[in-house]
Amino acid sequence: MEGSLELAKERIEEERKISISQAELHAARESYFQALDSNEDVVKKKYTYAWCLVHQNAKQDIQQGIPFLFDLADEKAVQKEALYCLATAQYILEQYTECRLSLKRLLAIEPHDTKAQDLKALVEDVLRREGALGLAVFSGAVAAGGAAAFAFGLALLRKR
């Protein structure tokens, strides 16, 4: 069940290329609010609005779509799509830990979802690299602190 990093990167790039105009976003928003008023097709309209939000270029728009997708992750009719869309949005926003949790939930429902497996592999690769980078930075800071303490100690010894 190992995923493909390259396929996941390509899919993310394709997702980022999708261009939703402000008019389309506005229409999806209006449609969602009308569905709330009439109580018809609310789940479908909510998903469409959330999808449009997370396919915007502005990070605040993407962030605005995430709570909708969290809600939709409990709706059987769109659960898998909502979880994948949520994970993709979280990846784009560099919320890698949250992304991994969304993918874990999706893969519990649909273990053979190759798109989710690929994105999970990509996320785990990023987290591994970030962990290694964090360790290197920490080690460098400790070494620099140790060197400074050693130099200070030498300076004190020379003064005596």
Side-chain angles (χ1 to χ4, degrees):
M1 285 197 359
E2 191 78 18
S4 168
L5 298 177
E6 291 307 313
L7 284 175
K9 287 177 185 177
E10 288 174 17
R11 285 190 191 106
I12 291 292
E13 287 176 24
E14 290 301 313
E15 290 286 330
R16 297 298 290 151
K17 288 179 186 175
I18 296 172
S19 179
I20 304 298
S21 71
Q22 288 300 307
E24 291 169 309
L25 177 62
H26 182 72
R29 182 180 187 277
E30 289 302 311
S31 182
Y32 167 61
F33 283 111
Q34 288 172 1
L36 284 176
D37 289 341
S38 66
N39 205 24
E40 293 180 23
D41 287 332
V42 176
V43 170
K44 180 181 173 188
K45 304 287 179 163
K46 187 176 193 176
Y47 178 76
T48 300
Y49 179 43
W51 187 90
C52 287
L53 283 167
V54 300
H55 285 86
Q56 295 297 299
N57 289 326
K59 289 194 176 201
Q60 66 265 22
D61 289 335
I62 298 169
Q63 187 66 47
Q64 191 178 356
I66 286 179
F68 290 110
L69 293 167
F70 267 119
D71 290 345
L72 291 164
D74 293 326
E75 296 287 342
K76 294 289 183 203
V78 295
Q79 187 174 37
K80 293 177 216 170
E81 295 85 354
L83 283 167
Y84 185 77
C85 191
L86 174 62
T88 300
Q90 291 165 325
Y91 180 85
I92 290 166
L93 293 173
E94 299 177 0
Q95 298 173 349
Y96 303 120
T97 303
E98 295 87 348
C99 179
R100 186 169 52 180
L101 292 173
S102 297
L103 291 166
K104 182 179 178 182
R105 187 171 171 200
L106 173 55
L107 288 167
I109 298 165
E110 189 65 47
H112 302 293
D113 185 322
T114 55
K115 290 188 333 184
Q117 290 171 358
D118 294 345
L119 185 53
K120 183 175 181 242
L122 181 59
V123 168
E124 288 178 351
D125 182 62
V126 169
L127 288 172
R128 233 183 337 272
R129 281 187 282 125
E130 281 187 353
L133 179 62
L135 183 59
V137 169
F138 177 74
S139 298
V142 169
F150 180 73
F152 182 71
L154 280 178
L156 286 177
L157 284 176
R158 286 189 180 148
K159 280 189 172 185
R160 288 185 179 186

